């Protein structure tokens, strides 16, 4: 397992630092708040009884291109530590992703070419920036944190019918994307009134490092109930190092319906 050492907050690029500062005092700049989520450790026996680790909120605003969706993650002191933001077309196609991470001191972006054939990555700190390009196969379906659940809802009927959905998950910190296969999972006895979708890495080796991403919806209202899997914030060990975190997120709606 790779251990990540925390980076001083001062290393965050100035534009990203300033945006987080503005959003801290004025989260409405990111648009309407759609729902809130409470992040618990996934491995606890019952997440409801475990102490929460982080909270986050989904915000959405309309733009000339379509929609801008932001996930704002807060520590337990209420400090905004991460923003993940995507720009989407009215047909839910991802055009751009922006990330500002105060926890690690990094920020970056992913831009999709106009012909949707190439991705352009930028990732770094105030001192160093790295770039990369990635070619895309035709009609690649791109997802990231702020549009993952929306993608599942957009393809609800296909997934409910038992057909798989192939997506590529953007990972700006890695300056690349990874293939995932999404399928409907069999309902569990305790969730008979729920619909569960599971996204698993397509690459066999990646499956050893990344657990499947599990999203639970209320079937009747198609409302988001719970998510289990990798989350953007990292857990801090006793020595101050940071490690990737698999969490269980419980949602509280703030508006009627998903957007």
């Amino acid at each position: 397992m790779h251990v990540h050492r925390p980076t001083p907050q001062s290393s965050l690029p100035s534009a990203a630092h300033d945006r987080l500062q503005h959003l801290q005092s004025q989260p409405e700049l990111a648009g309407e708040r759609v729902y809130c989520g409470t992040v618990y450790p996934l491995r606890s026996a019952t997440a409801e009884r475990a102490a929460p680790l982080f909270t986050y909120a989904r915000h959405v605003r309309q733009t000339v291109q379509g929609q801008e969706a932001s996930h704002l993650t807060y520590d337990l002191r209420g400090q905004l530590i991460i923003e993940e933001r995507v720009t989407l077309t009215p047909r839910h196609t991802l055009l751009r992703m922006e990330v500002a991470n105060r926890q690690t001191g990094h920020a970056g972006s992913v831009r999709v070419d106009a012909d949707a054939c190439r991705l352009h990555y930028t990732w770094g700190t105030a001192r160093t920036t790295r770039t990369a390009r990635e070619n895309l196969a035709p009609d690649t379906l791109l997802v990231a944190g702020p549009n993952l659940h929306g993608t599942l809802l957009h393809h609800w009927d296909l997934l409910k019918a038992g057909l798989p959905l192939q997506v590529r998950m953007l990972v700006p910190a890695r300056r690349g994307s990874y293939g995932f296969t999404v399928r409907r999972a069999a309902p569990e006895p305790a969730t008979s009134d729920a619909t569960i979708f599971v996204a698993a890495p397509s690459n066999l080796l990646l499956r050893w490092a990344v657990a499947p991403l599990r999203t639970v919806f209320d079937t009747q209202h198609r409302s988001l109930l719970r998510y289990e899997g990798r989350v953007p914030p990292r857990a801090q060990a006793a020595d101050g190092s940071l490690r990737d975190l698999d969490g269980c997120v419980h949602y509280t709606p703030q508006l009627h319906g998903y957007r």
Side-chain angles (χ1 to χ4, degrees):
M1 176 182 295
H2 294 285
V3 177
H4 305 274
R5 299 290 176 180
T7 306
Q9 295 183 12
S10 60
S11 70
L12 193 67
S14 59
H17 174 270
D18 292 346
R19 178 167 175 84
L20 291 182
Q21 290 294 96
H22 291 313
L23 289 173
Q24 178 76 60
S25 58
Q26 297 177 280
E28 65 275 9
L29 293 174
E32 291 185 295
R33 188 168 62 182
V34 179
Y35 59 67
C36 295
T38 304
V39 183
Y40 298 93
L42 179 59
R43 300 305 178 190
S44 62
T46 55
E48 294 87 345
R49 297 179 181 177
L53 302 175
F54 302 94
T55 62
Y56 88 93
R58 176 181 178 83
H59 291 257
V60 169
R61 71 182 188 92
Q62 299 304 312
T63 69
V64 294
Q65 292 177 298
Q67 184 186 79
E68 192 175 79
S70 297
H71 282 184
L72 307 181
T73 299
Y74 300 83
D75 65 18
L76 296 183
R77 298 172 300 167
Q79 182 182 43
L80 176 61
I81 58 173
I82 301 172
E83 181 195 22
E84 290 190 336
R85 183 170 81 256
V86 296
T87 302
L88 306 168
T89 71
R91 296 177 61 86
H92 206 74
T93 301
L94 192 151
L95 300 175
R96 186 177 181 88
M97 181 182 187
E98 303 274 351
V99 179
N101 191 322
R102 192 192 305 273
Q103 195 182 37
T104 67
H106 290 78
S109 66
V110 187
R111 177 177 58 83
V112 185
D113 265 356
D115 60 6
C117 291
R118 186 175 290 110
L119 298 175
H120 300 265
Y121 295 89
T122 300
W123 188 254
T125 67
R127 295 183 292 273
T128 60
T129 299
R130 295 182 179 181
T131 62
R133 294 189 300 178
E134 180 183 0
N135 294 327
L136 295 176
D139 301 318
T140 299
L141 183 57
L142 299 173
V143 298
N147 80 316
L148 172 60
H149 302 326
T151 298
L152 301 179
L153 287 168
H154 192 71
H155 296 274
W156 180 278
D157 293 336
L158 178 146
L159 290 166
K160 281 275 286 184
L163 298 176
L165 181 67
Q166 304 297 329
V167 303
R168 291 205 64 86
M169 184 80 66
L170 299 181
V171 185
R174 302 284 186 180
R175 301 188 304 283
S177 67
Y178 298 95
F180 278 73
T181 302
V182 186
R183 289 185 171 88
R184 180 188 180 187
E188 301 170 355
T191 59
S192 58
D193 57 348
T195 296
I196 304 171
F197 299 124
V198 175
S202 304
N203 183 285
L204 182 61
L205 293 178
L206 189 59
R207 293 181 199 173
W208 289 96
V210 179
L213 315 179
R214 188 171 181 270
T215 305
V216 183
F217 291 92
D218 174 271
T219 301
Q220 180 179 356
H221 303 288
R222 299 190 183 185
S223 56
L224 187 59
L225 298 177
R226 191 169 70 256
Y227 164 83
E228 299 171 0
R230 188 62 48 88
V231 292
R234 291 172 174 170
Q236 190 167 26
D239 63 357
S241 63
L242 298 175
R243 56 182 174 82
D244 291 333
L245 174 65
D246 289 331
C248 178
V249 185
H250 289 248
Y251 298 97
T252 303
Q254 304 292 300
L255 295 175
H256 180 69
Y258 183 92
R259 62 196 71 177

